[in-house]
Amino acid sequence: MGMTITEKILARHAGKARVAPGENVWVNVDILMTHDVCGPGTIGIFNEQFGAGAKVWDPDRVVIIPDHYIFTADAICHRNIQTLRDFVKAQGIRYYYDPDFVKGDGMPSPYRDPSQTRYKGVCHKALPEEGHVRPGEILLGTDSHTCTAGALGQFATGVGNTDAAFVLGTGKTWLKVPATMKFVFHGHIPPYLSAKDLILAVIGRISVSGATYRSLYFTGEGIASLTLEDRMTLTNMAIEAGGKNGVCDVDEKTLRYVRSRSTRDDWEVVEEDDDASYHSVHEWDLGAMEPLVAKPHSPDNTAAARECADVKLDRAYVGSCTGGKITDMIFVASLLAGREVKIPTFVVPGSTEVHADMLRLNVRGQEKAAGEKSIWETLEAAGCQMGASSCAACLGGPKDTFGRLNEPINCISTTNRNFPGRMGHKQAGVFLASPLTVAASALTGHVTDPREFVTKPIATGEAGTV
Amino acid sequence: MQDIITGIAYVVGDDVDTDQIIPAEYLMYNPSVPAERKLFGRYAMVGVPPAGAGLPKGRVPFVDQTDESNSRSRFSIVIGGRNFGCGSSREHAPLALAEAGVQAVVAEDYARIFFRNSVNGGYLVPFQCAQRLCESVQTGDELEIRVAEGLLRNKTRNTTHKLEPLGDVAPIIEAGGVFEYAKRTGMLK
């Protein structure tokens, strides 16, 4: 009997010919990622367990990306950045992306030019951009959305500080091999849908615990029709169904991206066997799907956007590892171009590369011509409030975080979670939706099906493809 | 791990996520700094919406916030429903519960990372019970968990409930976490 991509990757990294779901294996880890929220605690456990002078197992396989609490005046948050800097220096870690503008007093002034800072922004966007995500590898990160990287055909999952400290010292971890749930999407993605609608449909059908301890495998011509970035939206939210990881097949889009970015070339593509066995198989026809929202306070509380037109909104938010990529920004800008938002709308690029691309490209994802508006300018002209790249209000964060919900208001958001208090205030209502639905709703002030605005396919050009 | 865990129950419902267990606004504290570690105990469970905080009635603070130096809860066993600990991978969640004095959680099932963090970090024992205890146990009930027998006794209501076996992770829980486990099995020196 054949194996799934996930089973094959775990078997190879455990030095076994094959593994079966339910089996516990010790595996060698390719990359360990941490950030400013979990890094200091991880370093603390590492020092305690391996000794203050101990060295990490391989400094070139440790990637540290501060992204969570960057634009805040909170001195403890600044201290945490310094803890990372000290560790990186002592360990000789070269893949560290420093927010060089955080100097330790008051609210930091953001980078002046996003293409001229070492700082990268949200780790899950920065990891593939900086060449740390490769098919067939194992990536662990101290963040639940580490599963995002599975879109590029690897095994990626989130772990806690203790597990991360163990990996830092040994390069190994134990994993239970997950059974795989197969999600097949038929047809071609229509212009009014994005991957966010697909993953909300999945979570709505199987629930927020429907994939607990399991792998989610997304396949079919519908997935092949998605941009690589949109596939990352799918795998990003595997955790919102309780999944251990999410994974997509590797195709030419993946290979082109990874070949142009990877810091190493010793990787190998792993393919799903035709006779692999599954926990369950679920199928959708993209032509029959509708734009969805997840209503407060759970990602599985889904409904068609058109059924929620009576929901009045106070705010719209575009950003995060889920909905802050360059294609997400193009989707939003193409709807807002030449129009004005009706409610306060906050926009936060997922990375400094996304930010730079927003300044460089037009709403069709092409180099902007002289006199033509950039994506950034288009959004500004529509009345959006623009922020610097970071996790920002997606997870609430310190009270002075850009876009944070400090009042019990209704917000429609391209982010990933809407449990009580996730974006700040416990009584705030967060509606999760695609960038298109968020943009359409920002224009009307109530939950709006983007089909009211999208009449033809939205070109994204070469944005985010290499 | 103790053979018998006794304590007062604090009951919550389904899908209590890590933002409810420890809201993101407190994650800047570093658990490796003792004074900051204590704060996780102080803010444990403050994100649970009032109606669901201490079922069946709700509005029961998990940690008394009136004393500013308090970081301990009078409840040392948390009873949850389905998918306890879903959401983020923050190890601060089981750590916060442990800092507040929680020794065990008994839920219908767990989100994977919370369960793993509880076990590998050696913070608390995540028991599973097939019965819907969050509807039969009430906040304030006196409970006793007999670990070897796999039983939970509700001394207030005089009922006994069977717990699921700890299974594969039992040796790691016994050892007190993944580091101790790895040392005992010779993986770490």
Side-chain angles (χ1 to χ4, degrees):
Chain A
M1 198 174 49
M3 286 193 285
T4 65
I5 292 173
T6 294
E7 288 157 9
K8 280 188 188 176
I9 295 173
L10 295 182
R12 285 186 187 186
H13 286 75
K16 293 181 164 216
R18 56 182 305 117
V19 295
E23 199 178 322
N24 287 309
V25 289
W26 284 93
V27 295
N28 293 315
V29 175
D30 292 298
I31 299 287
L32 178 83
M33 187 282 301
T34 190
H35 50 48
D36 56 306
V37 160
C38 294
T42 298
I43 292 165
I45 297 172
F46 172 79
N47 287 339
E48 185 191 325
Q49 292 290 342
F50 295 100
K55 289 285 179 191
V56 300
W57 102 101
D58 184 344
D60 289 348
R61 290 180 182 271
V62 178
V63 179
I64 301 185
I65 310 178
D67 57 359
H68 276 60
Y69 301 160
I70 306 298
F71 299 107
T72 170
D74 191 296
I76 296 180
C77 297
H78 299 168
R79 188 247 356 234
N80 291 342
I81 304 290
Q82 195 52 48
T83 303
L84 299 180
R85 287 171 179 154
D86 295 344
F87 185 71
V88 160
K89 200 170 164 203
Q91 296 287 342
I93 292 168
R94 57 173 161 153
Y95 300 121
Y96 169 63
Y97 302 95
D98 189 48
D100 35 32
F101 43 83
V102 174
K103 307 222 191 282
D105 46 346
M107 176 66 83
S109 305
Y111 47 84
R112 283 221 184 83
D113 178 347
S115 64
Q116 296 299 318
T117 171
R118 183 89 182 125
Y119 173 67
K120 287 296 154 198
V122 186
C123 58
H124 310 300
K125 186 69 190 76
L127 277 167
E129 283 175 0
E130 294 303 304
H132 303 300
V133 174
R134 285 166 283 267
E137 293 199 346
I138 293 181
L139 164 74
L140 298 185
T142 59
D143 191 289
S144 61
H145 291 111
T146 303
C147 53
T148 310
L152 282 75
Q154 72 162 202
F155 178 89
T157 193
V159 295
N161 297 355
T162 299
D163 277 331
F166 194 94
V167 177
L168 273 184
T170 64
K172 291 178 195 297
T173 197
W174 69 269
L175 293 169
K176 187 192 280 283
V177 179
T180 294
M181 297 172 83
K182 184 178 183 179
F183 299 90
V184 189
F185 290 88
H186 302 288
H188 195 273
I189 187 95
Y192 49 84
L193 292 183
S194 88
K196 186 65 167 286
D197 299 298
L198 277 54
I199 191 64
L200 289 179
V202 167
I203 300 165
R205 186 186 285 183
I206 69 172
S207 93
V208 286
S209 57
T212 301
Y213 293 97
R214 300 195 194 110
S215 172
L216 292 86
Y217 168 53
F218 303 101
T219 190
E221 58 189 15
I223 303 304
S225 77
L226 298 178
T227 62
L228 201 54
E229 287 203 336
D230 236 10
R231 292 178 205 167
M232 288 169 65
T233 303
L234 271 182
T235 49
N236 174 273
M237 289 185 66
I239 182 67
E240 266 60 69
K244 184 169 197 149
N245 70 316
V247 69
C248 297
D249 298 303
V250 171
D251 63 5
E252 274 310 311
K253 291 178 195 175
T254 327
L255 292 175
R256 199 148 58 107
Y257 188 92
V258 175
R259 280 179 189 142
S260 68
R261 304 232 180 200
S262 176
T263 58
R264 292 203 328 268
D265 52 13
D266 57 341
W267 46 279
E268 209 179 316
V269 174
V270 171
E271 287 174 353
E272 192 93 353
D273 286 332
D274 291 335
D275 58 346
S277 68
Y278 299 101
H279 167 272
S280 52
V281 180
H282 308 260
E283 299 186 55
W284 277 270
D285 174 5
L286 288 176
M289 294 180 75
E290 290 195 274
L292 299 177
V293 295
K295 299 182 286 183
H297 294 284
S298 183
D300 63 5
N301 190 17
T302 54
R306 63 178 168 78
E307 288 167 354
C308 302
D310 58 335
V311 176
K312 214 182 142 311
L313 298 164
D314 305 294
R315 179 176 295 191
Y317 185 91
V318 178
S320 82
C321 50
T322 316
K325 302 182 289 303
I326 188 63
T327 46
D328 300 318
M329 297 299 173
I330 292 173
F331 286 156
V332 172
S334 69
L335 262 68
L336 299 192
R339 299 188 172 106
E340 221 173 296
V341 294
K342 224 178 194 163
I343 49 176
T345 300
F346 292 76
V347 178
V348 181
S351 67
T352 48
E353 180 176 311
V354 171
H355 191 157
D357 282 349
M358 289 171 77
L359 298 171
R360 189 172 62 84
L361 304 174
N362 64 23
V363 292
R364 297 179 303 285
Q366 299 161 332
E367 281 302 328
K368 76 181 180 90
E372 201 177 13
K373 272 201 178 75
S374 66
I375 295 166
W376 189 272
E377 288 163 336
T378 303
L379 294 172
E380 261 183 338
C384 297
Q385 301 181 46
M386 312 297 286
S389 178
S390 93
C391 299
C394 171
L395 81 160
K399 290 250 163 39
D400 57 355
T401 299
F402 182 76
R404 187 182 194 272
L405 306 184
N406 289 326
E407 311 284 328
I409 59 176
N410 276 342
C411 176
I412 190 160
S413 178
T414 66
T415 56
N416 44 52
R417 274 186 198 137
N418 61 347
F419 296 118
R422 167 72 178 178
M423 291 184 73
H425 199 286
K426 259 194 257 186
Q427 269 86 44
V430 175
F431 293 75
L432 304 176
S434 79
L436 293 168
T437 303
V438 170
S441 306
L443 288 170
T444 62
H446 59 87
V447 175
T448 302
D449 188 318
R451 282 174 289 192
E452 292 182 25
F453 294 91
V454 180
T455 51
K456 57 179 194 307
I458 295 168
T460 55
E462 290 299 297
T465 59
V466 285
Chain B
M1 185 170 39
Q2 294 165 255
D3 287 341
I4 292 177
I5 300 171
T6 54
I8 309 291
Y10 188 81
V11 185
V12 292
D14 294 328
D15 301 320
V16 170
D17 79 300
T18 52
D19 270 294
Q20 296 179 50
I21 299 170
I22 184 75
E25 66 193 273
Y26 304 115
L27 296 187
M28 66 280 283
Y29 301 121
N30 183 347
S32 299
V33 178
E36 292 180 29
R37 189 181 181 97
K38 273 192 164 184
L39 293 174
F40 289 106
R42 174 160 180 78
Y43 298 118
M45 303 294 262
V46 294
V48 180
L55 295 171
K57 289 187 181 145
R59 301 185 185 279
V60 182
F62 181 67
V63 174
D64 178 10
Q65 299 287 323
T66 52
D67 172 3
E68 273 183 27
S69 65
N70 187 27
S71 61
R72 302 288 285 183
S73 174
R74 65 189 176 95
F75 307 103
S76 59
I77 298 176
V78 171
I79 303 291
R82 299 207 58 203
N83 201 28
F84 188 87
C86 59
S88 95
S89 65
R90 65 187 72 152
E91 188 162 314
H92 313 72
L95 183 148
L97 293 175
E99 279 299 309
V102 171
Q103 292 183 282
V105 177
V106 186
E108 277 174 83
D109 50 47
Y110 291 88
R112 188 188 66 81
I113 310 178
F114 177 89
F115 184 86
R116 185 179 171 100
N117 286 342
S118 299
V119 170
N120 279 359
Y123 297 104
L124 51 85
V125 189
F127 289 102
Q128 269 181 260
C129 179
Q131 295 168 36
R132 200 159 166 73
L133 292 183
C134 64
E135 286 174 2
S136 63
V137 178
Q138 300 199 358
T139 297
D141 284 0
E142 208 179 320
L143 306 180
E144 178 181 278
I145 297 169
R146 295 181 190 164
V147 178
E149 295 164 70
L151 292 176
L152 180 144
R153 236 181 81 66
N154 186 332
K155 287 157 119 177
T156 306
R157 278 160 227 291
N158 205 17
T159 54
T160 302
H161 311 270
K162 198 168 164 16
L163 302 172
E164 304 288 319
L166 289 168
D168 297 343
V169 297
I172 305 177
I173 294 173
E174 292 280 341
V178 71
F179 277 99
E180 228 14 77
Y181 172 78
K183 282 171 196 159
R184 284 189 191 181
T185 53
M187 257 203 75
L188 276 185
K189 288 190 186 82

